[in-house]
Amino acid sequence: MTSNYTFIYDGECPFCNHFAELLEIRSKLNNIKVLDGRKNLTLIKSLLDKGYDLDKGAILLKDEDIFHGADAINTICKQINNPSSSLLLLLSRVFKSNKRTNLIFPLLVRARRLALISKGISISLV
């Protein structure tokens, strides 16, 4: 049985946006839906009520399971095989490792915040 995934990201973050675009177009995952959290505030509020804050990292819904932040990136990257993008291939290889993902992910969250602040965009979605 194939799992269904929903990847939720911050569409104003240039890094998140590019990764989500690669996932949607180049990952060759047929069972993934990619959502911009800023355009789905009702869903974001319900996830925040459950303790999942998009400001602290992407959110991945896998059937009934919820993965957040580094776990979301690690989980989805483990599903990517033979993407049609060399950048996505590199990212998937780097983030398939739990240890590397947990080491690098906090830096990505900081980079997101800096990018949004430099663009004059609120880091918080709700």
Side-chain angles (χ1 to χ4, degrees), residues 1-91:
M1 184 167 117
T2 302
S3 294
N4 292 305
Y5 297 92
T6 302
F7 184 80
I8 307 165
Y9 69 102
D10 181 353
E12 289 293 336
C13 169
F15 312 113
C16 309
N17 202 30
H18 191 63
F19 181 73
E21 185 178 281
L22 287 172
L23 269 180
E24 191 168 42
I25 297 169
R26 304 287 184 154
S27 70
K28 297 183 182 175
L29 294 174
N30 297 325
N31 54 337
I32 188 165
K33 180 170 40 169
V34 178
L35 298 177
D36 177 348
R38 291 187 187 257
K39 294 179 181 175
N40 294 278
L41 293 179
T42 303
L43 176 59
I44 294 306
K45 287 177 185 175
S46 73
L47 289 166
L48 186 59
D49 289 344
K50 295 177 183 175
Y52 303 101
D53 186 353
L54 195 61
D55 183 37
K56 295 179 182 169
I59 299 169
L60 179 67
L61 308 176
K62 177 186 174 194
D63 300 323
E64 301 301 318
D65 297 322
I66 302 174
F67 300 89
H68 185 227
D71 291 334
I73 301 300
N74 178 258
T75 300
I76 199 62
C77 283
K78 287 180 179 177
Q79 300 306 309
I80 298 170
N81 296 310
N82 303 315
S84 62
S85 161
S86 56
L87 177 58
L88 189 56
L89 177 62
L90 173 67
L91 292 172

